[in-house]
Every structure is written in structure tokens, then in C-alpha cells.
């Protein structure tokens, strides 16, 4: 249900009960004067279907590009992992300096995108793709200053993307929670009764954009920047590895939770999208584990004492 449909349902109920409520108030005494003002909304309306198609294609490209470069890294294709032709990888992945502003633009206008790819339902999938891309692919730059600028822009982008997503999904979750867990009390044609107070974001869906997942990723990216600028010492490397591991655990948990929520809702299209995002996350985790095992095997071979044969005279 989009924003305008939700407002239509709530607004229609209020207008149907206007006359009944006014008569009840007038019956309480002539000293009480109540005025029911017509609710006007400044919502400019949804974007056209063409915008929704463009956003859906863009989200599909972000998912496919992240998956393609992850598979290239697992397969050991250094050229493919470095980019396509003369275009570097950082310009092709969602967390790069070229696509990240586009992701922010989509999320900033997400409340008006409710056709084909409504961000109130699919927005978390786009944010998870961005987070997985930021963790899986490091920014590449020649100097430390350029690297610091790129990494700081990625951190800022993830923070803003999380805030933009919350501005989209929290009103949607609140509205759906209000419609789902409320019932007519019978006092008047539109009087609703709730057993519990309504909270911002509702209690049906617990996912939030700005959460421990986003904070863990931000700390992990900052630790990367510290290791790059000040050198990789043992303590800093272990701290960075622990933060990255915790970030992957949180991202995987969010992907599983959202896929389970979509499955419980019975929405096949929503479940398919979150299943694909979950597959991307687990592919990235598998790639990290695979490269770590390969690195550990190479270190074991290097430190293995070599046996030399000596001729006995």
C-alpha cells in the first residue's frame, strides 16, 4: 500500500464520521463548540511509472554488478575484479563515487516512488546492497589523501542512506501497524480501538535503516582508513577484522530477517527481491572466507621448513 492509498483510507474514514462526530459533540451542551477542519496534505504526489521502472533497473544493476565482481574475485580474475576495460571497478559498484550519489538521490526521493519498485517495501534491499558493496570492495586510490576522501565520502553516504531510508519506511511501518492492529470500537462509525499505544515505526517490522548494522559498517570503514593512513599494526588489523566480521554478521541477519518477513507477508515479488539480496550477501561472505583460507594456506606453505638433502661423503 502506497502513501496516497494509506492517506485515502484514513481520510475517507474521517470524512464518513464527520457528521456523526459533530452531532455527538453538539449533544454534549451548547457551551462546547467544536470545529472539524478539513485535512489538507501538501504531498505532491507519486512519480510516474517510468520513474519506477528506471529505479527498478538501477537497483537490479547494483545487485548484478556487486555479484559479478564478487564472483570475479572468487575466481581469481584480477583483470575482471579491477574493472571492465579502462573503467575501474570503483566506478561500477554501488558503493563507488559514481553510483553512490545516485543511490542517495533515489532514497532521498523515495517517498514519491511507489510504482513498480516502491521503496517503502524494497528500499531496505537497496540499502543492504549498498552496505554489502561497501564491505566487499575497498576504495582504491593512489595517495592517502585521496583514499581518505573516498572512504569518508562512503561513510557519509551510508549514514545519509540510512537516514533517508528511515524517512521512507518508518511512516509506512507506522501506518500499516495502525491499520492492522486496530479495530472499530462501535462507539461511532469511525471510532478505532487499540489495545496498545501506537509507536513510531510500529512493532510489526523491527528493521531500521540507522541501526547497529549501519554503525558497525561505519566503524569498520573508519578502521580501514586508519590502517591505510597510519599503517597496519597487529592491534589495528585485528580491530579492523573484528569490526568487518561483526558487520557481515549484522548484514546477514538483516537479510534473513527481511526475507522471512516478506515470506510471512505472502508477497512473492518482495520475497524474491530479498532472497536475491540475501544470496548476494552470502556470496560476499563466502568470498571473504575463501580468500582468507587461501591466504592462510599460502602462509603455511611459506613458513613450512624446507627439507634439504645433503650428500654424505
Amino acid at each position: 500500500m502506497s502513501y496516497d492509498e494509506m492517506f485515502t483510507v484514513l481520510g475517507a474514514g474521517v470524512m464518513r464520521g464527520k457528521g456523526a462526530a459533530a452531532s455527538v459533540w453538539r449533544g454534549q451542551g451548547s457551551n462546547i463548540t467544536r470545529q472539524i477542519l478539513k485535512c489538507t496534505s501538501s504531498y505532491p504526489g507519486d512519480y510516474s511509472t517510468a520513474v519506477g521502472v528506471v529505479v527498478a533497473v538501477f537497483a537490479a544493476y547494483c545487485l548484478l554488478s556487486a555479484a559479478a565482481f564478487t564472483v570475479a574475485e572468487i575466481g581469481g580474475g584480477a583483470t575482471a575484479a579491477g574493472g571492465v576495460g579502462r573503467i575501474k571497478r570503483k566506478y561500477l559498484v554501488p558503493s563507488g563515487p559514481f553510483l553512490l550519489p545516485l543511490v542517495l538521490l533515489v532514497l532521498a526521493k523515495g517517498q514519491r516512488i511507489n510504482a513498480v519498485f516502491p521503496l517503502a517495501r524494497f528500499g531496505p534491499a537497496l540499502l543492504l546492497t549498498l552496505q554489502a558493496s561497501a564491505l566487499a570492495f575497498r576504495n582504491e586510490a593512489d595517495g592517502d589523501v585521496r583514499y581518505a576522501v573516498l572512504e569518508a565520502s562512503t561513510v557519509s553516504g551510508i549514514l545519509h542512506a540510512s537516514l533517508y531510508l528511515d524517512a521512507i519506511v518508518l511512516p509506512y511501518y507506522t501506518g500499516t501497524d495502525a491499520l492492522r492492529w486496530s479495530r472499530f470500537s462501535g462507539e461511532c462509525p469511525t471510532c478505532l480501538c487499540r489495545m496498545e499505544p501506537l509507536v513510531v515505526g510500529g512493532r510489526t517490522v523491527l528493521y531500521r535503516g540507522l541501526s547497529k548494522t549501519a554503525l558497525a559498517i561505519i566503524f569498520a570503514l573508519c578502521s580501514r582508513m586508519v590502517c591505510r593512513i597510519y599503517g597496519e599494526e597487529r592491534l589495528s588489523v585485528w580491530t579492523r577484522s573484528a569490526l568487518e566480521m561483526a558487520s557481515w554478521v549484522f548484514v546477514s541477519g538483516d537479510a534473513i530477517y527481511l526475507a522471512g518477513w516478506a515470506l510471512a507477508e505472502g508477497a512473492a515479488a518482495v520475497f524474491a527481491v530479498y532472497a536475491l539480496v540475501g544470496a548476494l550477501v552470502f556470496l560476499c561472505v563466502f568470498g571473504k572466507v575463501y580468500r582468507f583460507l587461501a591466504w592462510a594456506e599460502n602462509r603455511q606453505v611459506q613458513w613450512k621448513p624446507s627439507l634439504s638433502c645433503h650428500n654424505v661423503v
Side-chain angles (χ1 to χ4, degrees), residues 13 62 98 120 124 189 250:
C62 292
F98 179 71
F250 290 149

Side-chain angles (χ1 to χ4, degrees), residues 35 44 76 98 100 201 219 249 252 296 298:
Q35 292 182 352
F98 179 71
L100 180 57
F219 288 138
V249 170
S252 302
N298 291 333

Side-chain angles (χ1 to χ4, degrees), residues 6 9 22 38 48 52 73 84 90 92 115 132 149-150 177 188 193 205 212 219 235 242 276 287 296:
M6 187 180 301
V9 173
K38 183 179 180 181
S48 62
E73 285 190 352
V84 178
K90 64 181 180 180
L92 301 174
V149 171
L150 285 177
D177 188 77
C188 67
C193 178
V205 184
K212 58 181 180 297
F219 288 138
L235 179 60
L276 290 175

